[in-house]
Amino acid sequence: MPQPPELITLHGSFSSVMLELDGAGAPLWRYWGARLESVSHIPLLRATRAAPSFSLDDDVPLSLFPSFGVGWFGPSALLAHRVGADFAQSWTGCVVEWLAPERAVCVTLFDDVARLRVVITLSLDSASDILSINTTLTNMGAAPLDVQHLAAACLPLPNEALRLRHYVGRHNAEFQREEQALGRSGWRRENRRGLTGHGGPCGAVILRDDGGAWGAQLAWSGNATQSIDWSDDGQFIWQLGEWLAPGEVRLAPGESLATPDVLASFSPEGADGIARNFHAAIRGRMIWPGGAMTPRPVHFNTWEGLYFNHDRTTLTELAKVAAEIGAERFVLDDGWFHRRDDDTRGLGDWWPDADQYPDGLAPLAAHVTTLGMGFGLWVEPEMVNPDSDLFRAHPDWALHIAGRPLLTARHQLVLDLTRADVCAHLFGCLDKLLRTLPIRYLKWDHNRDLTCAGTTLGRAAYRAQVLAAYALFDSIRAAHPDIEIEACAGGGGRLDAGIITRTHRFWTSDCIDAVSRLSIQQGFLQFFPPELMGAHIGAAPAHSTGRQQSQDFRAAVALTGHLGVELDLLALGAAERARLAHWIALYKQFRDQLHHGAVYHGAVGDGVSWQAHGPKEARADEDWLLFLYRTSPATQGQAPPVRLPFLNSRVDYVVSPREPVEGEARSYGGAWLMTAGLPLPPMMAECALIYQITRA
Ligand code: GLA
């Protein structure tokens, strides 16, 4: 039996989405889960649903865009009014158009009473199984409309959605994983810091007992909100969107508010499956110079090796040693510009400090380039120190609210990017640096949260600030299409799918302690692919924690991302430098595989965890790299074997120990490795093993 015309079905490779037309109302959510192999004999919800007792006679099921005030009692996708009027919205017209059959659809809703139009686009990508949703609200009335909330997406989760996995974080401790049962009292996370925050993007993963999972993340670098509410019907409702400050959005007649995209997915393969789908989607959204990602070059970054001590002789020598050990990009971090001797001053004065660089940066950049490395430069354009020429000339350029104090953080203020003159000035500064120096890379930092973020009109400036920052990135990229940019915000404070379409690498965390990094990187990989994960081999003891770890362990942890070295190379002995060069060479050998394939994770137990990087072609069964990490001392006589569920049970494999020393290769059946597991040798605490697994 053909699908009833009321049903709109989108198919991915492993998931399907189904909506049900509901007359003039918003389409109803009918299904989001594992791919429906057949859509025949599907009854309509309206035909099977009995109105619960004590409900409205014409009860209101969950729709794509539920709204408050005319029969819907659940969370509203929209909260808006016109000076108190038109507070209730309901749809009097619905038009559905296919953008691509069974792949993408556009739903337009009209409210002729409250005079609104809402356009929701949904597309389900078959390669990634990512459902992208965004929403645009237009004020069709004659008076301004105040918008308090507009969900980018409102998603259904069935009642068997049991556990919620999400991330919290702070500076030096990004992506701390939290797991909790979903309950009927609901769950809400709001971020009002003005940028993404150290807990990662607004998003989460919902786990079902049978191994299936749903995931979503908002492609946005500012204030955000997400909530999961229980509906009396017996399901959960998951909303994601921007968090709007009071009065932040007032739409003039005819004006629109467009939300960021939500990237959502169902995977039968759990949280790792969701991660792989996110990786595919983000890979598809990246805008690389030249159209495609080149092998991720090994960085040398000056920050933890030098901090503000930009001694020219030291820098010249550092660059030489960096090139010798195999670095391919030299990133001159904070400390190079006018009077920037410490973090109390200089931000805003984007020209080389005359004492440290009497001939400017050109000699150092030429030295770096001659050594065969790309030259990269740290900037923090959105900021200003009160102690700077820029602030003295333009004290009104900092974000502020009249009558409120200027609150500094790390001695700095945020520039008001909603002002065209500020953006033009910043574009001019960056453009001049990029035009006059052989810079191939910017590390673009944002080292504080937004406070007193008011526009010149005294209204909340948060979302306008994000949009203006995006525009500044875009204009720099348009003028200098060959440069790559790293997004950083006190480590990983601005990691999201919104900024990544403007940038090419994230600085994951200022914490380079390898044990801390394992959980931070796992959280990162839940949302973003490994080639975007800045991962450096830092010093021992680690500057952020004081823990002392071997170079091999530090390197084995950093190897799974976009590798860099961030320590004082001149303090290393010849043997340590040689070993570092060895790890860099290993990274170069494997980066093609590390940066294109699927990533799997697991915990073995008793202090051991693993991460596997698959072959370039997704779901093939050869050439895996397996990283094993022991973080705490063993309590058992024998380490538990590691089961490798990603292998193919019909294939035999050769497992070859690669690091820290090459060992004897052994053959195993795939079925054995998947179900009984690979036996592990004894390991010291804070040690790693790397195995190569190939088809026998
Ligand atoms: C932030 C970054 C660091 C470094 C410093 C420089 O904290 O995360 O990597 O660039 O700023 O001030």
Side-chain angles (χ1 to χ4, degrees):
M1 190 179 123
Q3 177 175 310
E6 290 88 346
L7 294 180
I8 305 164
T9 312
L10 307 179
H11 289 302
S13 299
F14 297 93
S15 67
S16 298
V17 163
M18 195 182 270
L19 300 170
E20 179 171 319
L21 297 181
D22 195 35
L28 307 176
W29 272 110
R30 191 72 177 100
Y31 180 80
W32 179 34
R35 188 184 155 95
L36 297 167
E37 290 314 330
S38 156
V39 288
S40 75
H41 294 92
I42 294 179
L44 291 178
L45 184 71
R46 283 291 190 195
T48 55
R49 185 179 156 101
S53 60
F54 202 71
S55 69
L56 300 179
D57 292 332
D58 193 5
D59 87 316
V60 183
L62 174 65
S63 76
L64 187 60
F65 197 81
S67 54
F68 172 73
V70 191
W72 172 251
F73 302 109
S76 185
L78 175 66
L79 293 172
H81 63 95
R82 292 189 181 85
V83 201
D86 297 327
F87 67 92
Q89 295 95 28
S90 181
W91 311 108
T92 55
C94 171
V95 175
V96 176
E97 290 164 275
W98 282 110
L99 303 174
E102 299 202 339
R103 292 273 176 259
V105 73
C106 176
V107 176
T108 305
L109 303 169
F110 302 91
D111 182 343
D112 291 340
V113 179
R115 285 147 299 148
L116 305 175
R117 185 180 67 211
V118 169
V119 178
I120 305 163
T121 61
L122 300 93
S123 65
L124 182 52
D125 174 43
S126 56
S128 62
D129 266 291
I130 288 287
L131 174 67
S132 305
I133 306 186
N134 59 49
T135 302
T136 302
L137 167 71
T138 303
N139 178 8
M140 308 293 282
L145 180 80
D146 281 308
V147 184
Q148 187 185 326
H149 172 66
L150 174 65
C154 183
L155 300 161
L157 293 168
N159 65 347
E160 78 264 23
L162 287 178
R163 291 196 69 74
L164 164 70
R165 178 179 293 182
H166 64 110
Y167 295 85
V168 298
R170 55 172 294 273
H171 179 234
N172 275 332
E174 288 80 350
F175 287 110
Q176 301 304 307
R177 185 161 115 186
E178 296 272 308
E179 256 188 53
Q180 63 195 71
L182 272 180
R184 296 189 179 195
S185 51
W187 173 80
R188 177 179 301 275
R189 285 281 304 277
E190 289 182 350
N191 167 27
R192 297 170 292 272
R193 292 178 176 276
L195 78 165
T196 324
H198 290 80
C202 170
V205 179
I206 315 296
L207 306 161
R208 191 166 72 182
D209 257 2
D210 68 355
W214 293 264
Q217 60 171 306
L218 186 71
W220 181 241
S221 312
N223 291 335
T225 175
Q226 63 173 326
S227 57
I228 299 179
D229 287 278
W230 174 253
S231 143
D232 293 339
D233 270 9
Q235 64 185 331
F236 295 98
I237 303 166
W238 189 5
Q239 277 200 30
L240 300 94
E242 283 180 59
W243 182 88
L244 299 176
E248 185 160 15
V249 174
R250 170 170 289 175
L251 296 179
E255 215 182 338
S256 297
L257 171 64
T259 69
D261 285 353
V262 168
L263 309 183
S265 194
F266 171 82
S267 170
E269 297 184 354
D272 266 8
I274 294 292
R276 287 187 288 279
N277 294 349
F278 280 154
H279 295 182
I282 302 272
R283 284 170 176 158
R285 290 165 81 96
M286 297 293 299
I287 305 167
W288 293 101
M293 185 181 86
T294 52
R296 299 295 71 215
V298 178
H299 282 199
F300 175 78
N301 180 293
T302 60
W303 181 239
E304 288 205 354
L306 285 187
Y307 290 109
F308 294 101
N309 180 22
H310 283 218
D311 172 73
R312 264 174 302 144
T313 318
T314 311
L315 276 164
T316 309
E317 189 56 20
L318 265 180
K320 194 169 136 281
V321 179
E324 274 164 18
I325 61 168
E328 298 162 306
R329 186 181 272 158
F330 185 92
V331 182
L332 188 68
D333 211 284
D334 195 356
W336 60 268
F337 47 95
H338 183 54
R339 293 184 63 240
R340 184 68 168 174
D341 299 331
D342 55 35
D343 64 9
T344 63
R345 59 182 169 209
L347 290 174
D349 298 344
W350 298 112
W351 59 91
D353 182 70
D355 292 335
Q356 317 233 45
Y357 298 95
D359 302 316
L361 293 177
L364 177 64
H367 175 59
V368 164
T369 311
T370 310
L371 289 165
M373 295 184 289
F375 184 64
L377 193 65
W378 181 93
V379 289
E380 199 181 358
E382 295 146 273
M383 299 293 155
V384 66
N385 284 120
D387 186 357
S388 66
D389 288 2
L390 182 69
F391 187 77
R392 281 183 282 274
H394 300 285
D396 54 327
W397 278 14
L399 275 177
H400 66 280
I401 300 172
R404 301 286 174 200
L406 289 172
L407 301 178
T408 52
R410 207 193 188 206
H411 315 286
Q412 63 198 57
L413 299 167
V414 184
L415 289 168
D416 182 355
L417 300 194
T418 70
R419 295 177 58 130
D421 49 359
V422 173
C423 287
H425 170 79
L426 294 176
F427 177 85
C429 295
L430 294 171
D431 182 59
K432 183 172 176 201
L433 286 166
L434 293 167
R435 266 190 297 104
T436 53
L437 289 163
I439 297 171
R440 307 310 308 262
Y441 186 79
L442 287 178
K443 178 178 173 188
W444 186 312
D445 216 331
H446 187 298
N447 276 322
R448 61 158 293 172
D449 299 326
L450 269 51
T451 51
C452 299
T455 63
T456 43
L457 299 175
R459 302 181 72 98
Y462 296 95
R463 75 181 307 270
Q465 180 80 4
V466 174
L467 294 173
Y470 284 170
L472 185 59
F473 276 98
D474 292 344
S475 59
I476 289 295
R477 292 225 31 211
H480 302 277
D482 292 340
I483 61 154
E484 289 189 10
I485 303 180
E486 173 169 10
C488 175
R494 189 156 64 175
L495 313 185
D496 59 77
I499 200 128
I500 200 59
T501 54
R502 281 118 188 146
T503 55
H504 309 94
R505 188 190 204 241
F506 289 124
W507 180 227
T508 313
S509 175
D510 279 348
C511 179
I512 324 185
D513 175 301
V515 171
S516 306
R517 266 295 178 128
L518 282 176
S519 58
I520 294 173
Q521 293 183 175
Q522 262 200 31
F524 178 100
L525 292 170
Q526 181 64 67
F527 298 98
F528 311 108
E531 62 272 22
L532 307 183
M533 181 172 77
H536 292 179
I537 304 172
H543 294 195
S544 51
T545 63
R547 275 196 291 218
Q548 182 90 25
Q549 292 140 351
S550 71
Q551 193 190 78
D552 281 353
F553 184 59
R554 286 175 276 141
V557 171
L559 205 78
T560 59
H562 177 177
L563 187 71
V565 174
E566 186 171 337
L567 46 72
D568 181 4
L569 286 173
L570 307 183
L572 300 186
E576 277 179 302
R577 283 189 200 175
R579 190 69 188 154
L580 205 46
H582 164 82
W583 279 105
I584 289 172
L586 192 79
Y587 166 82
K588 288 177 182 171
Q589 182 186 343
F590 287 123
R591 63 184 157 192
D592 201 32
Q593 175 171 353
L594 288 165
H595 292 166
H596 290 95
V599 183
Y600 287 76
H601 288 103
V604 184
D606 199 30
V608 180
S609 62
W610 60 268
Q611 183 170 318
H613 287 246
K616 208 167 166 176
E617 292 303 319
R619 297 188 170 87
D621 53 17
E622 298 171 81
D623 286 349
W624 290 85
L625 279 174
L626 177 66
F627 295 78
L628 288 147
Y629 302 108
R630 173 176 283 294
T631 49
S632 54
T635 63
Q636 304 176 190
Q638 300 291 324
V642 48
R643 286 198 297 273
L644 305 173
F646 48 85
L647 295 177
N648 185 334
S649 61
R650 292 180 304 279
V651 168
D652 291 334
Y653 293 92
V654 177
V655 180
S656 318
R658 281 299 307 254
E659 294 293 337
V661 284
E662 289 196 18
E664 191 191 331
R666 288 226 170 86
S667 305
Y668 298 89
W672 179 261
L673 292 175
M674 291 174 77
T675 51
L678 177 72
L680 296 183
M683 289 169 77
M684 301 290 275
E686 303 191 355
C687 279
L689 297 173
I690 304 178
Y691 291 93
Q692 212 174 342
I693 302 178
T694 50
R695 185 188 273 261

